Amino acid sequence: MKKKQFKAESKKLLDLMINSIYTNKEIFLRELISNASDAIDKLYYRSLTDQKIKVDREDFKISIDIDKEHRTLTISDNGCGMTEEELENNLGTIAKSGSLDFKAALQKEEDVNIIGQFGVGFYSAFMVSDKITVTSRSVDSKEAYTWESSGVDGYSIEKSTRDSVGTTITLTIKEDTEEEKYSDYLDSTHVSNIVKKYSDYIRYPIEMELEHSHLKEGSEEEYETVKEQTVVNSRIPLWKKEKKDIKEEEYQNFYHEKFFDYEDALKTIHTSVEGTVSYTALLYIPSHAPYDFYTKEYEKGLELYSNGVLIMDKCADLLPDYFSFVKGLVDSSDLSLNISREMLQHDRQLQLIEKNIEKKIKKELETMLAEKREDYEKFFKAFGMQLKFGIYNQFGIHKDVLQDLMIFYSSKKEKMVTFKEYIENMLEGQDKIYYAAGESIDKINLLPQVEKVKDKGYEILYLTDYTDEFVIQTLMNYDGKEFVNVSSESLDLDSEEEKEAIQKENESNKDLLTAMKDALQEKVTEVRFTNRLKNHPVCLTTEGPVSMEMEKIMSAMPTEEKIKAQAIMEINDAHPIAQKIKTLYAKDPEEVTKYAQILYAQARLIEGLTLDNPSEISNLIIDMMAK
Ligand code: ADP
């Protein structure tokens, strides 16, 4: 018999399985049962379109047999089976499911976690077996074949026999070691408990021989133990069970298995609605973004069932884009089984369900925000960006749905707050919402303009994501309160006297300021003295919709057109430098133009912007120092 070699990746995976220290080895059973169930599904679907295939739904089942003497555990199904070629292709290479993430993880050799993360299918059986034998007969073949492997050194495939279509997988269970009692997998009670734990909802009966105690015939107190073929699983899909009968652990197990997440979901939403349209939804909000979430490859959608039968595995129409992170399923008896994808899009029932689901998700997020702030912050870290896109996409038509789900860092509370909380915390007479934008909280704290606003007692929202200012500009105001950037020209915090004083100051130094502006040419629209700074000598404020931070973000984008902020250079009138240039101008107006260049460069550096002419600026400074 000729031994064949596994493909390289499979070999690596097998090696990992055989030597696995993964503690949750029992999941292999769930994987094999789920494959069996899929195989039966496939056969059933084939029978719907292929007249030649005759099946009786009642006959479908999965059987588990234990042979203690030979240390074997056997799982058989009467599903679609595999041809010789399929045995070769399916069991000689890594399975397709989640294969991309999976292969990437394998490359990184994050060994132990791989198993829990991906539920690696068939190969997981090698965690508990020395040898695996698969005998299968495909619905498309008269012949049966047996695939066999004892691990990394390869596998063989030979012709064999099987009475009917289906697959039988026989595991030779490993000998016990000090760490692991593999014999547990030869104990029928233990095995049936694992089946109940992970595979209870599987639609087909999972049968095995179990011991039951009965009263002895003719006796009223004497019991005898009888072995009986027993259906172990309840076969009720998890979502069809009563909420009160479901443990959180069951919800999470179901989530892990179905949606390939190794972490628990942050929130489970299980809801049944009766009305114009009736449905049950089981939805999950993940605790972290899948690796491809923010890419084009990510497909949103929910599984769609009609009365427990899967009709579509990713129904995109059930979720708005801004809630695309939600995983889960919808089961409705109001949908027709053989509805096509195209028809489904226009289905009124489906649209109603979508509307309801959207409302429900929003409500649950609001509850989390109000009652479990820590969870919500975790959620927002993972998916806040998606909500933000949702606000400014399509010119903000969804902003009302989403604005109360926003949280931003508050200068005062030093944690994330909602707009509502900001407003509740406003000072007497305050009618604006102040914000500042920058790369990080630390950097914003260093912005010259922030200091004075904070000093006056105002709370500032810190925008640190590149999307944030677009969000604010789309919203424009919240609850009638306008958003104002502390670096914007329109910030108006001075008293009338202060305004008047500074205006006078600017007027009397008109020539000086004009000379400075001319020296800077189109880099600024104006140079003036200001009250808005406390300790910093200089800053750039902006007029119009583009802030300095936005200029920075947009110039990093690969667009042709460079968008420039309209900047005003403001010099702190209370700073010694102000006095210095005023006196200097009277003596040496030429020298002042150099000061203008250097001050402008300083202001840009403070904002975290680059200089167009670093060597020129550097020379100017050196010249001054040398004087
Ligand atoms: P996955 O099920 O995630 O694709 P597996 O490694 O568990 O990966 O299985 C690989 C493939 O082998 C399956 O996709 C399926 O085509 C086939 N297969 C596994 N078990 C069975 C079975 N009991 N009956 C028919 N085909 C099976």
Side-chain angles (χ1 to χ4, degrees):
M1 181 170 48
K2 199 175 155 289
K3 267 263 156 71
K4 301 188 182 190
Q5 292 305 311
F6 286 103
K7 302 244 164 70
E9 265 161 343
S10 308
K11 209 163 167 169
K12 212 160 158 187
L13 175 59
L14 264 176
D15 202 28
L16 228 156
M17 289 297 157
I18 291 163
N19 302 307
S20 170
I21 48 161
Y22 186 57
T23 48
N24 206 17
K25 294 187 164 63
E26 63 191 26
I27 56 131
F28 81 90
L29 197 57
R30 161 191 93 184
E31 300 291 319
L32 297 185
I33 289 174
S34 133
N35 282 348
S37 167
D38 290 349
I40 299 176
D41 279 346
K42 274 184 212 157
L43 183 60
Y44 177 65
Y45 286 124
R46 278 283 301 276
S47 76
L48 294 178
T49 51
D50 190 337
Q51 302 292 314
K52 291 196 287 294
I53 300 173
K54 299 240 179 314
V55 295
D56 184 348
R57 285 203 83 160
E58 297 299 309
D59 294 339
F60 287 134
K61 68 171 180 188
I62 298 163
S63 314
I64 300 179
D65 292 289
I66 290 173
D67 180 341
K68 278 195 170 140
E69 195 191 331
H70 296 102
R71 291 190 74 80
T72 59
L73 175 68
T74 302
I75 294 120
S76 336
D77 64 68
N78 47 6
C80 61
M82 284 175 272
T83 60
E84 181 182 14
E85 218 184 343
E86 283 168 337
L87 277 170
E88 169 97 46
N89 290 337
N90 295 340
L91 308 184
T93 28
I94 292 188
K96 310 152 288 298
S97 59
S99 56
L100 265 181
D101 329 15
F102 180 66
K103 284 184 184 166
L106 204 59
Q107 242 107 56
K108 283 191 257 147
E109 313 238 10
E110 293 165 346
D111 41 358
V112 180
N113 241 331
I114 284 185
I115 301 160
Q117 275 188 34
F118 299 101
V120 285
F122 173 76
Y123 285 164
S124 60
F126 276 106
M127 288 194 292
V128 301
S129 345
D130 289 324
K131 184 173 88 178
I132 302 180
T133 310
V134 182
T135 297
S136 195
R137 194 177 125 193
S138 161
V139 61
D140 298 312
S141 166
K142 288 259 167 313
E143 318 271 6
Y145 289 87
T146 294
W147 178 100
E148 189 169 283
S149 169
S150 302
V152 266
D153 54 321
Y155 61 92
S156 63
I157 297 179
E158 315 190 289
K159 209 178 224 175
S160 70
T161 52
R162 201 180 188 282
D163 290 342
S164 53
V165 170
T167 303
T168 303
I169 300 180
T170 302
L171 313 179
T172 305
I173 300 296
K174 288 184 184 177
E175 293 293 337
D176 290 353
T177 64
E178 260 175 43
E179 297 88 38
E180 195 80 32
K181 202 167 155 247
Y182 294 102
S183 302
D184 280 348
Y185 303 116
L186 298 168
D187 176 276
S188 52
T189 312
H190 186 84
V191 170
S192 71
N193 283 336
I194 302 175
V195 174
K196 277 196 208 107
K197 181 168 168 191
Y198 295 105
S199 312
D200 188 63
Y201 65 89
I202 292 283
R203 252 176 305 150
Y204 307 105
I206 304 169
E207 287 185 3
M208 61 187 294
E209 201 169 65
L210 286 179
E211 290 183 348
H212 296 269
S213 283
H214 290 285
L215 270 181
K216 228 176 177 163
E217 227 180 59
S219 164
E220 295 204 348
E221 61 229 45
E222 223 184 315
Y223 283 86
E224 63 177 350
T225 315
V226 231
K227 287 186 174 175
E228 278 172 11
Q229 201 63 14
T230 315
V231 175
V232 182
N233 55 330
S234 78
R235 289 185 276 163
I236 305 171
L238 184 65
W239 63 93
K240 288 210 168 172
K241 288 192 199 170
E242 294 254 12
K243 249 164 119 165
K244 63 173 171 47
D245 296 336
I246 309 174
K247 292 195 217 81
E248 180 58 21
E249 193 194 358
E250 276 180 86
Y251 278 127
Q252 295 292 358
N253 274 336
F254 183 80
Y255 171 70
H256 291 279
E257 182 190 352
K258 206 158 187 99
F259 301 107
F260 305 106
D261 193 352
Y262 52 96
E263 273 182 42
D264 279 358
L266 208 50
K267 174 91 205 158
T268 305
I269 306 168
H270 187 187
T271 171
S272 283
V273 174
E274 306 269 333
T276 3
V277 54
S278 302
Y279 66 90
T280 297
L282 177 56
L283 310 172
Y284 294 94
I285 297 174
S287 59
H288 63 120
Y291 80 103
D292 63 347
F293 184 68
Y294 290 106
T295 70
K296 273 214 258 345
E297 276 67 50
Y298 181 82
E299 280 179 70
K300 65 164 183 170
L302 299 176
E303 285 189 352
L304 186 60
Y305 290 81
S306 161
N307 245 340
V309 180
L310 184 68
I311 50 179
M312 199 183 286
D313 64 355
K314 256 192 188 151
C315 183
D317 300 320
L318 282 168
L319 284 177
D321 277 341
Y322 43 86
F323 290 154
S324 63
F325 47 81
V326 174
K327 302 273 182 201
L329 56 91
V330 170
D331 191 346
S332 171
S333 44
D334 296 341
L335 296 167
S336 139
L337 240 180
N338 46 20
I339 192 164
S340 75
R341 240 161 234 268
E342 293 69 35
M343 275 158 67
L344 211 48
Q345 271 181 13
H346 307 289
D347 192 88
R348 237 183 59 80
Q349 313 277 12
L350 203 72
Q351 287 167 359
L352 273 174
I353 298 177
E354 198 261 354
K355 276 274 147 298
N356 281 342
I357 284 181
E358 174 180 341
K359 269 195 223 131
K360 181 76 185 167
I361 298 170
K362 188 186 168 203
K363 221 173 115 222
E364 292 290 338
L365 286 174
E366 282 171 342
T367 310
M368 197 198 290
L369 177 62
E371 291 166 13
K372 290 199 161 167
R373 188 54 73 95
E374 217 170 285
D375 279 1
Y376 192 81
E377 282 182 21
K378 191 168 181 193
F379 157 77
F380 200 76
K381 221 181 223 139
F383 301 113
M385 188 77 93
Q386 190 65 14
L387 300 182
K388 289 171 187 175
F389 289 145
I391 286 188
Y392 66 75
N393 271 350
Q394 295 171 279
F395 310 101
I397 57 169
H398 300 299
K399 65 182 183 186
D400 291 342
V401 186
L402 300 171
Q403 59 183 5
D404 285 320
L405 294 174
M406 290 291 114
I407 47 174
F408 290 105
Y409 180 86
S410 147
S411 61
K412 233 182 207 174
K413 302 260 182 63
E414 299 190 345
K415 58 177 186 165
M416 307 294 273
V417 299
T418 61
F419 296 137
K420 234 193 204 104
E421 288 160 350
Y422 181 98
I423 286 186
E424 283 160 9
N425 203 29
M426 288 207 314
L427 298 186
E428 200 113 349
Q430 181 183 349
D431 61 353
K432 300 205 166 62
I433 302 174
Y434 298 111
Y435 70 90
E439 247 166 74
S440 64
I441 291 165
D442 289 344
K443 287 206 171 149
I444 297 178
N445 268 327
L446 293 173
L447 285 180
Q449 298 90 331
V450 163
E451 205 175 24
K452 192 79 178 260
V453 181
K454 266 197 201 158
D455 245 38
K456 293 201 172 190
Y458 294 109
E459 184 173 18
I460 306 174
L461 297 177
Y462 284 11
L463 314 188
T464 51
D465 266 348
Y466 76 91
T467 44
D468 289 350
E469 280 196 89
F470 299 97
V471 170
I472 296 296
Q473 295 206 348
T474 308
L475 293 177
M476 292 191 290
N477 54 57
Y478 179 85
D479 196 18
K481 316 277 188 296
E482 193 193 336
F483 289 102
V484 176
N485 191 333
V486 298
S487 306
S488 123
E489 195 263 338
S490 61
L491 181 79
D492 181 15
L493 296 178
D494 293 345
S495 66
E496 287 309 314
E497 297 91 82
E498 284 172 319
K499 271 190 232 168
E500 218 167 281
I502 200 74
Q503 208 174 336
K504 253 196 199 137
E505 194 60 30
N506 279 323
E507 260 159 37
S508 57
N509 288 291
K510 210 166 167 213
D511 293 347
L512 158 69
L513 295 169
T514 312
M516 289 179 88
K517 149 79 186 108
D518 290 346
L520 293 172
Q521 292 166 338
E522 78 286 0
K523 287 182 189 137
V524 296
T525 53
E526 194 185 336
V527 176
R528 65 189 181 206
F529 291 114
T530 185
N531 280 333
R532 75 161 79 219
L533 298 175
K534 193 180 167 203
N535 293 311
H536 288 277
V538 65
C539 73
L540 294 172
T541 57
T542 49
E543 286 175 306
V546 185
S547 71
M548 289 322 267
E549 188 58 23
M550 283 169 101
E551 174 182 323
K552 200 159 65 183
I553 289 160
M554 295 203 277
S555 55
M557 288 179 180
T559 47
E560 295 278 310
E561 214 179 324
K562 289 295 169 214
I563 293 160
K564 281 262 178 218
Q566 297 229 21
I568 298 171
M569 182 163 88
E570 298 199 306
I571 301 163
N572 185 353
D573 197 42
H575 195 280
I577 192 70
Q579 203 44 52
K580 170 87 196 212
I581 47 179
K582 283 176 203 167
T583 34
L584 186 65
Y585 185 66
K587 281 190 278 178
D588 187 356
E590 189 53 31
E591 192 67 9
V592 164
T593 60
K594 292 183 191 163
Y595 275 67
Q597 300 287 0
I598 294 172
L599 281 170
Y600 176 75
Q602 306 284 10
R604 284 188 68 88
L605 291 175
I606 295 170
E607 292 275 354
L609 296 161
T610 53
L611 304 180
D612 295 337
N613 53 348
S615 63
E616 202 180 306
I617 297 298
S618 164
N619 287 339
L620 278 173
I621 295 172
I622 301 283
D623 282 353
M624 272 188 200
M625 288 168 85
K627 255 189 201 159

